[in-house]
Amino acid sequence: MLNGLVVNACSRGDESRTWRLTETFLAHLGKDLVTLKFQNLPEMNLMPLDMETLQKREALCDAHAFEDPMFCDVRAFCTADLLVIAAP
């Protein structure tokens, strides 16, 4: 079984033509072959790194503490066998 990651960057939700195309593509994937995890970027409230967050990230990296929740999205990306990015 393959691990798939679907990154949805469509801000218009179900109104997005790009997302509808992505859903059509995903519907044709073999559900018995791929397990999908979804990341919906518009709902994630992503912010640029500020100095405090950058220092925390660097300290975690230096300590090899990659199990920290800060890295969960990166772990999902790195472990994906299939990556689908829906971006207008």
Side-chain angles (χ1 to χ4, degrees):
M1 177 82 58
L2 297 174
N3 292 315
L5 176 62
V6 180
V7 179
N8 178 5
C10 301
S11 299
R12 294 176 43 212
D14 291 337
E15 307 256 332
S16 168
R17 292 181 302 260
T18 301
W19 182 245
R20 288 195 307 263
L21 286 170
T22 303
E23 287 182 314
T24 301
F25 172 77
L26 295 175
H28 287 87
L29 285 178
K31 303 265 189 256
D32 55 335
L33 300 176
V34 180
T35 300
L36 295 176
K37 178 179 179 179
F38 290 83
Q39 290 182 340
N40 192 350
L41 298 185
E43 294 177 0
M44 292 175 71
N45 194 29
L46 298 174
M47 301 294 292
L49 288 176
D50 58 16
M51 186 55 74
E52 180 181 339
T53 307
L54 182 60
Q55 289 171 339
K56 176 184 175 185
R57 187 193 71 170
E58 290 301 313
L60 291 168
C61 287
D62 290 345
H64 297 278
F66 300 112
E67 70 282 348
D68 189 88
M70 175 180 270
F71 299 112
C72 70
D73 296 326
V74 170
R75 284 194 306 273
F77 183 84
C78 290
T79 59
D81 301 305
L82 171 71
L83 180 62
V84 177
I85 300 175

